[in-house]
Amino acid sequence: MSAPATPRRVIIDTDPGLDDAVAILYALACGRFEVLGLTTVAGNIGIEASTSNSLRLLVAMARCDVPVRRGAAQPLRRGGAELTSIHGDDGMGGLALPRPQAEAQGEAVGWLVEQLQSAPAGSVDILALGPLTNIALLVRDHPDAAARMGRLIVMGGAVDEPGNIGARSEYNFATDPEAAQIVLGAGLDLTVIPLDVTRRVRVVPAQIASLRGSPAGDLCAEIIALYFGSGRESRPLHDPCVMLFAVEPGLFGLDTLRLAVDVSDGPEAGALVQDADAPPIKVAMRVDGPGAIEALRHGLNEAQRSSC
């Protein structure tokens, strides 16, 4: 593990979702982030469930001090595509979580603008775990505020790896290709974590027990057990890779690539394509998979702080 550093101030844009939940639990538990809030987006499950699940996870972790803001209910110009076959009708595989103690206050993009404008430029990172609709709206409608963010770390896309919703398309980018294209072309301090990496950070059933040892670790173990379903030998932990990269970048190998997003109406919508005219972005293409699982285990079992 790298040496402890001053916690980085972050906003998590999310659509929980089982692997989103693991990522959020890690961020709350590891002591390496000051989580300013969660912004929700429709993706794995509709916006109401995404928002409710975010609130419920915070209650379960006794972190009601972290605000939740409700974001985009639909992609910029397309219909959504929910993944209830993986995440269940409630997005959490039927996991029993406490009821929300409050409702989401306000809407996501306006709140993002407020947070970025009130903080020193470059001091707030955004960790994006779902479709990029909220971030694209921020970039498109409030470019001065968007330019003030620090790092933007995004789980999405597939470079050399096959897609998971089409031959070349990854779910987050395929759900809102127009949003992904806006974000990739914005010239931000952007790192993309694609399937090329996330499929190599895999947990097997025998590792689940090792995650236990704290409220976050115990809950994470329950979530991953549900994520396996029946008959799975291993499962990739896509979204936690964003948090792990943010605090343990040495686990990953980066390439600088020029990429655009297929925004056609065909079967490859959302696919990444090489584009010499696109701005350069950082893309994680290699990872120490076992090291990432160990970093996850370690972070989940750091001391918890109660705020509810």
PDB file of all heavy atoms in Angstrom, residues 166 177 268:
ATOM      1  N   GLY A 166     -22.333  -5.141 -26.221  1.00  0.00           N
ATOM      2  CA  GLY A 166     -22.233  -5.319 -27.660  1.00  0.00           C
ATOM      3  C   GLY A 166     -20.846  -5.827 -27.965  1.00  0.00           C
ATOM      4  O   GLY A 166     -20.013  -6.005 -27.064  1.00  0.00           O
ATOM      5  N   PRO A 177     -23.919   7.379 -25.259  1.00  0.00           N
ATOM      6  CA  PRO A 177     -22.723   7.653 -26.056  1.00  0.00           C
ATOM      7  C   PRO A 177     -22.455   9.141 -26.254  1.00  0.00           C
ATOM      8  O   PRO A 177     -21.291   9.570 -26.272  1.00  0.00           O
ATOM      9  CB  PRO A 177     -23.020   6.962 -27.394  1.00  0.00           C
ATOM     10  CG  PRO A 177     -24.072   5.952 -27.087  1.00  0.00           C
ATOM     11  CD  PRO A 177     -24.892   6.548 -25.991  1.00  0.00           C
ATOM     12  N   GLU A 268     -22.880  -0.695 -32.561  1.00  0.00           N
ATOM     13  CA  GLU A 268     -21.631  -0.354 -31.901  1.00  0.00           C
ATOM     14  C   GLU A 268     -21.686   1.011 -31.224  1.00  0.00           C
ATOM     15  O   GLU A 268     -20.651   1.570 -30.853  1.00  0.00           O
ATOM     16  CB  GLU A 268     -20.476  -0.406 -32.892  1.00  0.00           C
ATOM     17  CG  GLU A 268     -20.194  -1.820 -33.386  1.00  0.00           C
ATOM     18  CD  GLU A 268     -18.883  -1.942 -34.115  1.00  0.00           C
ATOM     19  OE1 GLU A 268     -18.269  -0.896 -34.434  1.00  0.00           O
ATOM     20  OE2 GLU A 268     -18.460  -3.083 -34.366  1.00  0.00           O
TER      21      GLU A 268
END
